[in-house]
Amino acid sequence: MGWHGYLVVWCGVFGTVALVGYGMSLAGMTRAQRAVRVEGRIEQVGEPRHGSSPKDGIAVVVSFQDPSTGQEFTVANDGERGDRISVAWTGREIGVHYPRGRPHAFRFTSDPSEGGRGLGLPTFAVFLVYAGLVVVAAIDRGWPWALVGFCGPWALSGVYHLPGNVRDRNRRLDALAAMAAVPGRVVAVLKSVSTDEDGHTSTRVVPVVTFTTLDGTAVTAYCESGLRDPAGSRGRDVTVHYSPDDPAVFTLDVGAERRSRKQDMAVNIVGLVVVVAAAVVGMVTL
């Protein structure tokens, strides 16, 4: 079987996956659509143990109600329970989802409104089919087809989303300017050590900071940036800048955060220019 035959198999397999996935979504039968999604409330927050692994997340006790039975549940995030809780305070609302009729198989999500239609896999399958077709066009008709096929849609998507990205960046800069400043303290430093396939060892260090908002809300949060010598930061007093609307949005260095936002936008614009230029080169040389 020649490589064109392999392409037919490739497109057939992933095309089938896409059709089945979209069909199940239209019928409301995907796992994401069948899951029950409710809002949970953090009732208790535990202080992470110094030196423990950051993979575990902040220990919390959450209450939620099963809408089908009205039964109240109070659970803890022990073991693998969905999203890691990295910012917590008593009264914070988080998302809880579980298979229908099985509330004890719950998973947490950071965003209470987070949901989905289960379209991730079929959409990725469509991308793989498209990628296969572009590769064939590039091999049969020349490399310009690769530039047009891959850079063209990417460029159109970038141009379409650029105004929204600019507005989002401006909103974030405005939010930084409106942040409130309160004293905080690093109460623990978490550490995990991992080894890759080549035997190289890497260490991840995550400080944990606590602070109290102006309205009296006590917040415990992972702080992965903004601290010098994070490994030795336990017990250090810091100034925390947080959003009054959402204490989960905070920083220790407003200036660095502002520069990072501006640099990210510059990188995005440069990347978009490069992609557009590549697509234009491909079209000109066809």
Side-chain angles (χ1 to χ4, degrees):
M1 182 171 59
W3 65 271
H4 282 91
Y6 288 113
L7 171 67
V8 172
V9 174
W10 174 280
C11 293
V13 170
F14 290 110
T16 301
V17 171
L19 288 174
V20 171
Y22 285 122
M24 291 180 64
S25 178
L26 289 172
M29 297 175 59
T30 65
R31 179 181 297 181
Q33 291 172 313
R34 289 185 286 110
V36 177
R37 299 183 181 276
V38 297
E39 285 189 355
R41 182 182 187 277
I42 295 180
E43 304 291 348
Q44 297 179 25
V45 179
E47 185 175 300
R49 180 174 55 84
H50 177 67
S52 61
S53 173
K55 297 179 181 179
D56 299 333
I58 299 171
V60 294
V61 175
V62 176
S63 64
F64 66 91
Q65 183 181 59
D66 183 4
S68 61
T69 64
Q71 184 177 358
E72 292 279 352
F73 292 88
T74 301
V75 298
N77 61 334
D78 52 334
E80 296 293 333
R81 290 297 185 179
D83 290 353
R84 183 190 68 181
I85 305 299
S86 58
V87 182
W89 62 85
T90 300
R92 184 188 185 189
E93 293 182 344
I94 63 174
V96 182
H97 65 91
Y98 50 88
R100 193 172 304 278
R102 297 174 55 199
H104 292 290
F106 63 91
R107 293 289 185 271
F108 292 142
T109 60
S110 300
D111 185 355
S113 62
E114 182 178 331
R117 299 175 57 191
L119 296 179
L121 180 59
T123 300
F124 182 63
V126 169
F127 168 77
L128 292 178
V129 172
Y130 176 78
L133 295 174
V134 172
V135 169
V136 169
I139 293 175
D140 284 350
R141 301 186 180 184
W143 60 268
W145 282 95
L147 292 180
V148 174
F150 286 118
C151 296
W154 193 3
L156 291 175
S157 176
V159 170
Y160 175 78
H161 288 98
L162 182 60
N165 292 338
V166 171
R167 289 192 298 269
D168 183 61
R169 188 210 66 157
N170 291 337
R171 283 195 298 267
R172 292 181 179 181
L173 290 176
D174 291 341
L176 285 174
M179 281 185 167
V182 294
R185 186 175 180 83
V186 179
V187 296
V189 176
L190 312 183
K191 183 174 69 173
S192 64
V193 179
S194 59
T195 304
D196 60 20
E197 297 178 352
D198 298 326
H200 299 136
T201 300
S202 60
T203 302
R204 182 186 177 207
V205 175
V206 180
V208 179
V209 65
T210 60
F211 61 94
T212 301
T213 64
L214 295 177
D215 63 0
T217 301
V219 180
T220 301
Y222 284 10
C223 182
E224 303 196 40
S225 63
L227 275 173
R228 295 181 179 179
D229 183 26
S233 62
R234 184 187 184 194
R236 187 183 304 171
D237 292 325
V238 296
T239 298
V240 180
H241 303 263
Y242 74 94
S243 170
D245 296 329
D246 183 6
V249 180
F250 72 93
T251 181
L252 302 188
D253 191 337
V254 173
E257 191 73 17
R258 185 178 291 111
R259 290 190 297 271
S260 176
R261 299 294 183 187
K262 293 179 179 179
Q263 290 171 0
D264 288 346
M265 179 54 60
V267 170
N268 289 337
I269 292 175
V270 171
L272 176 59
V273 170
V274 171
V275 172
V276 171
V280 170
V281 169
M283 294 179 64
V284 170
T285 54
L286 282 178

